Amino acid sequence: MRWIHAARARARLLFRREAEERMNHEIAFHIEMEAERLVREEGLAPQEARRRAVIAFGLAERHKDAMRDGRGLAWLGRLGTLGLDFKLGGRMLVKYPGLTVVGGLAMAFGIWFGAVTFHMFGLVTSTKLPLPDGDRIVKIQNWDSKLAQDEDRVLYDYQLWRSARSITDVGAYRDASPNLVGTDGHALPAMAAEITASAFRIVPERPRLGRVLDASDERAGAAPVVLLGHDVWTRRFDRDPQIVGRTVQLGNRSATVVGVMPEGYGFPIAHELWLPLRTNVAGVEPRRGLPITVFGRLAGGMTFESAQAELTAFGKRLAAEHPATHAHLQPRVIPYTQADGDSGDMPQVKALVYFFVVVLVVVVCSTVALLLFARAAARQTELLIRSALGASRRRIVTQLFAEALVLAGVAAVVGLAAAQLALTRLGKPYIEFNYGRLPFWYDFNLSPTTIGYALALAAIGAVVAGVMPARKITRGLGTQLRAGSAGGGGASFGGVWTAVIVTQVALTVMIPAAAMLVRSESQRIASYDFGFPAQEYLGVTLGLDGPPDEMPTPETGARLGTLVEALRGRLEAEPGVAGVTFVDQLPGTYHVARHLEVVSLPGHPSSWVRTARVPTSYFDVLKAPMIAGRPFTSADLSPDAHVVIVDQGFVDRVMGGRNPIGHRVRMSAEQTPDSTAAQGPWYEIVGLVKGLGMSHVDARRRPAGVYLPFVPGDQGALGIIVQGQGDPLSLAPRVRALATAVDPALRVEQMTRLDQVAAPQLWFLNLWMRIIIGLTAVALLLSLSGIYAVLSYIVARRTREIGVRVALGASARRVIASIFRRPLTQVTLGVIGGSILIVVAAIAVQHTQEFAAVKPSGLTFGDVALLSGYSILMLGVCMLACVVPTLRALRVQPTEALRAE
Amino acid sequence: MTIRPQSDALRGSLDLLVLKTLSLQPMHGWGIGQRVQQISDGVLEVNQGSLYPALQRLEKEGLVTSDWGTTDNNRRARYYELTAAGRRALGAELESWRRFAAGLEAVLRTT
C-alpha cells in the first residue's frame, strides 16, 4: 500500500502548475494563520503581525526552491543520465498532450492487438499442460496412414500399450453426456467422461469431498459410481455437503456419488462428471469396440522419441499379427494438448502470425515515428545547442529513444489492460464459439509470457518510433552547426514517410470494404426468411441418452420417436401452447442433402436437394398452406406410400418453374460424393409449399427442398417445434420438466426461439465488425495525424519562404496550392492504391477455392457507390488535417518571417 | 534552552516530530508547528518554513497523504494524515531515537 500512496503523491507532483499553486497556497495560508495568532495572542497590529509572521516563516523562496528540487522526477536522476532522459520523456508526454494521446493510443492499439493474438494463439497451440510436468503428459493415437486420419477404436491396442515401459499410468476415456437429474428433479445433459482411474494419477488433485475413482470401480460387477465436478455439485445439487453416498439418476441408470472434485478440475478436457470406464473387456477384436482416447505420462528418463520408438515397435508387431486391420495403423505419441489430426505445420503458422503482429506494430509505430520526427524537428534549435555544448550524436539519439520508450511504456500499460479486458470479455466466448468447449487448462489471464511479448513489442515500437527519426534528424547537425543556422535545411521528410502515409491512407480506404463485407454477411443472416413467423415458435432438439459418438440404431430411433410423440401429446395439453409438431432438422439448421432426379421429365434433370422428414401436422402448425396439391395424410406415413411434398425453391431450381404436382422423382440415400439417385425408390410429388427454412441460416441461396413423411427410426435426434400463444421462451421450463417426466433419458439438447437460431453467428460476425471498425479508426487517426504533423512541420520550416512570397505579392491561392500539393498527392495515391487493392482482393476472393463456401456475391453497384463516396469523404477528412497548418501559413506576416532570420 | 532544528542537522528529529504529531489527528502545516510548540512547552520550536519540504518528502515516501480540507473558520487548507506505513515508520523512528538518547545519556553520565 505504501508504494501506492508514494506513487500517487509523486504523480501529483508531476503536474507543475498544480504543485506550484498548492505550495503557494499552503505558504500563504500558513503566514495568514500565524499573523492571526500574533494579533490574537500578542495583541499586535495586523500589519506588524503579518511582518513578523513572514520573518518567522524564514526565507520563503529558499523553502520553495527546496520543495521544487524535491518535486518532479528528481528521484529518477539518481539512475544517472538515462534517468534524466526518462524524466525528459515524461515531461514531453505532458507538454505535447495531442501527440501523447494520438501516438500513445496507436501504440497501445498495436500492443493490445499483439497481446490478444499472442495469448489466444498460445492457448490454442500450446503443447504443454500448465501443470507440474505438464509437458510429459501425452496422448497415444493410432494414425491410419491410408485414410490420413486418427483411428480411435483402439481398445485392442490399448491392452498392449498399457505394458509400455516408456509411458506410465496409461489410461483412456470416452465422452458421454448422460441426462443428470438434479435436486430440482430436472434432467439436463452433463459433460461426462467415462475414464480409467489412472487419470487421477496423471492429473492428481484431492477431491473436495469423498474420493476419486479407483481401479476397483472398473471391475465387472462393481457397483455403479459417479464422481461429480464442482460446478455440477454447485449448480445441480446446491452444494449438498451430504452428497457422497447418495444415489443420483443418470438417464435411466443410477449411480452412487463417491466424491466431488475441487473447482476448476476438468480433466481430460472440460468434463464435469466422471464415470468408471471398463477397458478390460474380454474378447475385444482389433479395430472394434468403443472409440476411446488414450493418455499417459512419459516415464522417468524417457523422451518423446524413446516412447515413440517403443510404440512403433508395438505397431509393427500388431501389423504383423493382424495385417487385415493394422497394416496401415501407426501408433503416435503426441503432446496431450495437441489437437487431434495432423498439425505438423502449426509452428510455421504460429511464427507467421507473430511476425504479422510485429509488422503491424512496426507500421503503426512508423506513423508515431513521423509524429516524433515532427516534434524533434520543431526542437531542432534545442538539439543544436545540446550538440554545441558537447552532446554526442549517440547521446542525442539515446535521449530521443528514451522519450519514445516512455511513450511506448505508457502505451504498453494501456494496451495490456485493454488486452486483459478483451481476453475475458471476448476471448472466452470466441473460443467457446469456435471449439464448443473450453479446455480446463485455458487461462484467460495475461501470462508472464504474454506480458513479455507485449513489452518486447513496445520496445520494438520505441526503436522504430524513436531511433529512426532521431538518426535522421541528427544526421545534419554538425553541418548546421558550422553553417550557424537553425532554420531550414537539415531535416526533411523523405520517401519513407511518404510511403508510410500513402500506405495508411490505402489501409483506411481498404478496411471499410472488409467491414462492408462482414456487415452484408450479418445483414443477410439476420434477414433470413423462414417463411413463417419464426419468433412465435420454440425449437427444441431432443436426443436419447448415450455416448454422443454412437450411431443411432433403428431401436433407439424408434424409441426416440415414441418418446417425442408422448412429449408432443403432453405439450399440446399445456396451457399457452398453440401447436406442436416435430421434424428431423429444425428450420434454419443444416438439412440432409440428397441427390435427386426427376424421372418424369425429359433428360432426367438432376440436382442436390435438402430434405426433411415431417409429420402430417407440420404445415398446419407452421401456418403454411399448400400452394398446390395436398398435404400429407396419415396414409402417407406407411413405408410404401412413397410421396413427397416440394417447396417453391424446388420448382424454381429443379422444375424450371413447371407445376411439380404429379411428377416422379428418385433420390439417393444420403449425402456422399458418388451417390446416384438411380438406385433410390420412386416418389410422387403430391404437394407444393412455400420455402420454410430448409437451409442453414448462413446459406446464400434458397435450396430446393423436399419433404418426406416422417417415419420414426433412423434419427439420432429430433426437433420439436412448439408454437406459444405469447413469448414461446416462457414455455422453456415446462418443456424441460415434461421431457424429464416422459423419460429421464429424453434429453433436451438445445432450446431456442426459432428466429434466434442465428444468434451465435451474428455475435461472431459482430465481433469481427467491431474489430475492423477499431482498425479503421486507428488507421484513420494515424493517417490524419501523420498528414497533420508533416504539414505543420513543412509550414513551420517554410515560414520565411511563405513570408517572402507574400511580401512579393503572391496570392493566397498560390500559397495554398504550393502547400497542398504534397498531402493532396499522398492522399490521392493512397485512395487509388486502396481502391486497387479492394478490386484485386475481390477478384482474388472470387477465384479462390477456399472461399467458395463464403463466396461474396461480388460488390454490388450500391457497394461500389458507397465505397467511392467513402473515398471522397476520406479525401475531404484528410484535407481537414491541412486546415490548421494552412491557416497558420496564411497568417505569416512578411515582416515576422524576415525577422525570423 | 531552545533547539532550532537547522534544516539538515536535525532532519531526522523533524520527521519524527511531524509523524508523532500527525499520529494524533490529521492536521495542516501550521497546526503541526503549533502543536509541537504547545506540547513541548515552547522548548522545541520548529522552523516554520522547513516544515513544508519535510512534509513533501514524507508524502513522496508514502508515509503521509494529504488532501484539501476546510478549517474551523471555513478556510481551505491542505490536511496531512499518517498512512499505515507512516505509523510503522513512526514506531521504528521512536525506537531508534530512544536508543540514541539512552546511548547519549550513558556517555554523558560516565564522562
Side-chain angles (χ1 to χ4, degrees):
Chain A
M1 281 309 281
R2 176 178 178 177
W3 66 270
I4 295 181
H5 288 303
R8 208 172 51 192
R10 286 176 179 184
R12 271 203 301 239
L13 291 173
L14 271 182
F15 296 93
R16 214 181 60 197
R17 200 183 310 151
E18 282 76 8
E20 282 283 313
E21 267 172 22
R22 173 184 152 185
M23 179 177 75
N24 290 335
H25 183 277
E26 275 195 283
I27 292 175
F29 170 79
H30 185 108
I31 290 172
E32 254 175 67
M33 293 295 282
E34 182 66 10
E36 277 174 27
R37 187 187 67 84
L38 289 172
V39 169
R40 198 170 55 238
E41 292 179 3
E42 299 187 13
L44 296 181
Q47 217 166 356
E48 175 61 10
R50 190 175 158 74
R51 200 183 63 86
R52 291 262 298 270
V54 171
I55 292 171
F57 191 81
L59 293 166
E61 280 312 313
R62 212 186 73 197
H63 295 310
K64 282 187 183 175
D65 279 345
M67 289 178 81
R68 283 184 196 119
D69 286 347
R71 194 161 54 199
L73 298 164
W75 50 281
L76 264 179
R78 276 175 248 150
L79 294 177
T81 43
L82 197 64
L84 183 72
D85 289 339
F86 284 128
K87 186 167 116 180
L88 279 172
R91 208 173 277 164
M92 284 295 161
L93 292 190
V94 182
K95 196 170 168 195
Y96 295 87
L99 191 144
T100 306
V101 169
V102 172
L105 267 185
M107 280 172 136
F109 180 83
I111 291 166
W112 169 82
F113 189 81
V116 172
T117 313
F118 181 86
H119 196 90
M120 295 285 279
F121 230 72
L123 285 183
V124 178
T125 59
S126 150
T127 52
K128 184 180 181 303
L129 273 183
L131 296 171
D133 268 349
D135 49 349
R136 301 187 63 79
I137 300 176
V138 297
K139 262 197 294 204
I140 311 174
Q141 290 183 334
N142 239 351
W143 184 254
D144 187 324
S145 55
K146 195 175 172 201
L147 297 176
Q149 66 180 30
D150 176 35
E151 169 58 77
D152 52 9
R153 289 169 297 170
V154 292
L155 213 45
Y156 184 85
D157 315 60
Y158 172 73
Q159 312 297 342
L160 181 62
W161 292 348
R162 281 173 67 179
S163 64
R165 281 185 306 151
S166 54
I167 303 177
T168 60
D169 292 329
V170 174
Y173 78 89
R174 63 194 297 250
D175 286 335
S177 58
N179 236 0
L180 175 69
V181 182
T183 314
D184 54 3
H186 286 188
L188 291 176
M191 189 68 224
E194 290 181 12
I195 197 163
T196 57
S198 60
F200 300 95
R201 293 196 296 276
I202 294 267
V203 182
E205 188 95 48
R206 275 166 56 104
R208 189 182 159 124
L209 295 175
R211 63 167 175 91
V212 296
L213 300 178
D214 63 35
S216 65
D217 299 322
E218 292 167 22
R219 257 181 244 129
V225 293
V226 59
L227 177 63
L228 300 182
H230 190 272
D231 200 30
V232 164
W233 178 58
T234 308
R235 268 188 301 112
R236 310 297 312 283
F237 297 102
D238 301 330
R239 303 170 78 96
D240 178 1
Q242 310 296 323
I243 191 89
V244 173
R246 293 248 311 268
T247 304
V248 295
Q249 191 75 22
L250 290 163
N252 284 332
R253 293 176 287 171
S254 56
T256 309
V257 177
V258 291
V260 175
M261 290 308 281
E263 202 167 353
Y265 191 89
F267 189 80
I269 294 176
H271 294 82
E272 47 183 13
L273 206 68
W274 297 269
L275 301 158
L277 175 69
R278 300 206 167 105
T279 52
N280 47 351
V281 189
V284 64
E285 287 169 43
R287 234 175 161 166
R288 284 273 177 275
L290 303 172
I292 53 172
T293 306
V294 180
F295 52 81
R297 181 201 294 277
L298 292 178
M302 293 294 172
T303 61
F304 268 91
E305 289 71 34
S306 51
Q308 182 61 61
E310 188 179 13
L311 266 290
T312 305
F314 283 169
K316 287 196 174 128
R317 207 170 103 194
L318 286 173
E321 286 170 16
H322 308 284
T325 52
H326 278 64
H328 304 289
L329 289 185
Q330 185 54 250
R332 294 198 309 179
V333 181
I334 58 170
Y336 184 79
T337 55
Q338 185 173 313
D340 292 344
D342 201 357
S343 54
D345 54 352
M346 224 42 197
Q348 282 94 311
V349 174
K350 208 166 161 176
L352 205 69
V353 168
Y354 294 166
F355 175 73
F356 168 74
V357 170
V358 171
V359 169
L360 179 90
V361 168
V362 168
V363 168
V364 166
C365 290
S366 349
T367 315
V368 181
L370 195 63
L371 303 182
L372 287 180
F373 176 71
R375 184 172 85 182
R379 284 161 57 197
Q380 215 173 6
T381 319
E382 174 205 326
L383 297 179
L384 266 175
I385 292 171
R386 273 169 193 266
S387 172
L389 289 178
S392 65
R393 184 176 177 203
R394 171 190 290 221
R395 185 73 198 75
I396 292 176
V397 171
T398 314
Q399 183 207 328
L400 294 177
F401 170 65
E403 288 177 21
L405 201 60
V406 170
L407 185 64
V410 174
V413 172
V414 175
L416 278 171
Q420 177 65 75
L421 205 68
L423 282 174
T424 40
R425 298 277 287 277
L426 302 174
K428 230 168 157 167
Y430 184 89
I431 297 262
E432 265 170 349
F433 177 82
N434 277 297
Y435 296 88
R437 55 184 174 181
L438 280 179
F440 72 93
W441 60 88
Y442 277 23
D443 185 355
F444 288 91
N445 289 319
L446 288 174
S447 65
T449 339
T450 307
I451 293 176
Y453 180 76
L455 292 182
L457 283 182
I460 293 175
V463 170
V464 174
V467 176
M468 263 167 48
R471 286 183 60 83
K472 200 165 161 54
I473 198 134
T474 50
R475 199 167 293 149
L477 276 185
T479 334
Q480 283 178 52
L481 260 182
R482 277 193 292 282
S485 113
S492 69
F493 286 93
V496 179
W497 306 126
T498 308
V500 166
I501 291 188
V502 170
T503 315
Q504 265 157 9
V505 174
L507 280 178
T508 345
V509 172
M510 223 182 113
I511 298 172
M516 238 182 244
L517 203 69
V518 175
R519 196 205 47 187
S520 76
E521 272 294 292
S522 64
Q523 269 178 353
R524 193 173 56 73
I525 292 178
S527 64
Y528 180 85
D529 180 19
F530 282 89
F532 60 92
Q535 70 281 359
E536 292 174 15
Y537 296 85
L538 189 68
V540 189
T541 316
L542 294 161
L544 261 191
D545 230 10
D549 43 13
E550 217 156 71
M551 291 300 285
T553 61
E555 294 79 50
T556 56
R559 188 161 152 248
L560 178 63
T562 322
L563 294 180
V564 168
E565 184 54 41
L567 176 62
R568 193 181 66 83
R570 294 183 68 161
L571 272 172
E572 265 179 348
E574 277 290 304
V577 172
V580 186
T581 186
F582 52 93
V583 61
D584 60 344
Q585 296 294 334
L586 289 175
T589 62
Y590 287 109
H591 284 65
V592 178
R594 293 166 196 255
H595 204 233
L596 173 140
E597 220 175 73
V598 187
V599 222
S600 49
L601 277 181
H604 294 198
S606 70
S607 173
W608 282 102
V609 296
R610 300 277 166 181
T611 59
R613 290 191 173 273
V614 298
T616 50
S617 60
Y618 191 73
F619 301 108
D620 269 351
V621 173
L622 294 192
K623 297 179 195 149
M626 291 297 127
I627 298 174
R630 62 169 180 84
F632 287 137
T633 62
S634 47
D636 298 330
L637 299 183
S638 125
D640 334 302
H642 292 299
V643 292
V644 293
I645 290 175
V646 296
D647 69 5
Q648 191 59 48
F650 185 90
V651 172
D652 298 340
R653 296 192 41 202
V654 184
M655 300 299 294
R658 291 189 198 84
N659 181 2
I661 306 296
H663 279 280
R664 306 180 72 168
V665 296
R666 260 194 318 214
M667 273 186 285
S668 66
E670 57 185 279
Q671 184 174 20
T672 45
D674 53 352
S675 59
T676 51
Q679 296 87 16
W682 296 63
Y683 293 91
E684 187 191 340
I685 300 173
V686 294
L688 168 63
V689 74
K690 65 176 173 177
L692 291 171
M694 286 285 269
S695 58
H696 192 265
V697 277
D698 64 13
R700 286 175 179 276
R701 292 207 298 175
R702 294 333 296 279
V706 175
Y707 292 94
L708 293 146
F710 182 80
V711 188
D714 54 350
Q715 296 87 13
L718 264 183
I720 192 158
I721 298 175
V722 186
Q723 186 190 12
Q725 279 158 354
D727 181 7
L729 278 175
S730 62
L731 297 170
R734 279 309 286 161
V735 173
R736 274 193 200 286
L738 287 177
T740 313
V742 166
D743 193 312
L746 187 60
R747 199 165 59 207
V748 174
E749 283 169 355
Q750 252 186 346
M751 183 143 55
T752 52
R753 214 167 73 186
L754 280 182
D755 61 329
Q756 289 170 352
V757 168
Q761 269 98 341
L762 288 176
W763 176 85
F764 189 70
L765 286 172
N766 239 322
L767 177 65
W768 272 108
M769 182 85 178
R770 272 187 284 170
I771 292 176
I772 291 172
I773 288 176
L775 275 172
T776 316
V778 169
L780 190 65
L781 183 74
L782 278 178
S783 28
L784 284 186
S785 51
I787 293 168
Y788 177 82
V790 173
L791 264 192
S792 317
Y793 172 72
I794 290 177
V795 169
R797 224 164 49 94
R798 287 171 54 184
T799 304
R800 197 174 52 171
E801 179 208 324
I802 295 169
V804 172
R805 276 172 185 251
V806 174
L808 292 179
S811 69
R813 223 180 61 201
R814 290 195 60 163
V815 173
I816 292 177
S818 77
I819 298 171
F820 257 78
R821 196 176 308 126
R822 188 182 181 119
L824 197 67
T825 320
Q826 287 169 345
V827 174
T828 314
L829 275 180
V831 169
I832 292 174
S835 314
I836 292 175
L837 284 174
I838 294 175
V839 172
V840 170
I843 293 173
V845 164
Q846 282 182 337
H847 286 84
T848 309
Q849 205 52 48
E850 279 72 41
F851 286 100
V854 289
K855 184 183 271 189
S857 44
L859 292 175
T860 63
F861 179 72
D863 288 345
V864 172
L866 207 59
L867 275 181
S868 331
Y870 176 78
S871 303
I872 294 168
L873 183 78
M874 262 300 299
L875 212 63
V877 169
C878 289
M879 288 303 116
L880 263 185
C882 308
V883 167
V884 175
T886 310
L887 285 181
R888 205 184 296 152
L890 288 179
R891 252 183 285 155
V892 170
Q893 295 294 321
T895 44
E896 188 187 307
L898 295 171
R899 207 184 306 130
E901 182 54 6
Chain B
M1 184 192 75
T2 303
I3 301 173
R4 282 178 177 271
Q6 294 298 308
S7 60
D8 283 359
L10 282 169
R11 181 158 137 182
S13 61
L14 178 59
D15 287 2
L16 182 60
L17 289 177
V18 170
L19 291 176
K20 178 67 195 170
T21 315
L22 285 177
S23 72
L24 308 172
Q25 68 183 89
M27 237 176 266
H28 46 70
W30 181 77
I32 295 172
Q34 288 301 305
R35 180 58 72 89
V36 169
Q37 219 171 342
Q38 271 172 19
I39 295 180
S40 68
D41 261 345
V43 172
L44 298 174
E45 192 179 316
V46 176
N47 182 334
Q48 299 188 3
S50 62
L51 198 58
Y52 292 93
L55 280 169
Q56 180 177 287
R57 195 177 59 246
L58 291 173
E59 191 175 3
K60 272 174 64 183
E61 285 165 15
L63 300 179
V64 303
T65 60
S66 69
D67 212 344
W68 292 110
T70 40
T71 63
D72 295 340
N73 48 10
N74 225 10
R75 278 213 191 109
R76 200 164 86 104
R78 193 85 186 170
Y79 277 83
Y80 292 86
E81 193 175 346
L82 216 53
T83 64
R87 215 164 279 282
R88 281 194 299 277
L90 172 62
E93 292 253 344
L94 268 179
E95 182 58 30
S96 83
W97 173 259
R98 285 192 179 125
R99 248 181 297 140
F100 170 71
L104 199 62
E105 182 66 37
V107 172
L108 292 178
R109 256 205 315 269
T110 50
T111 49

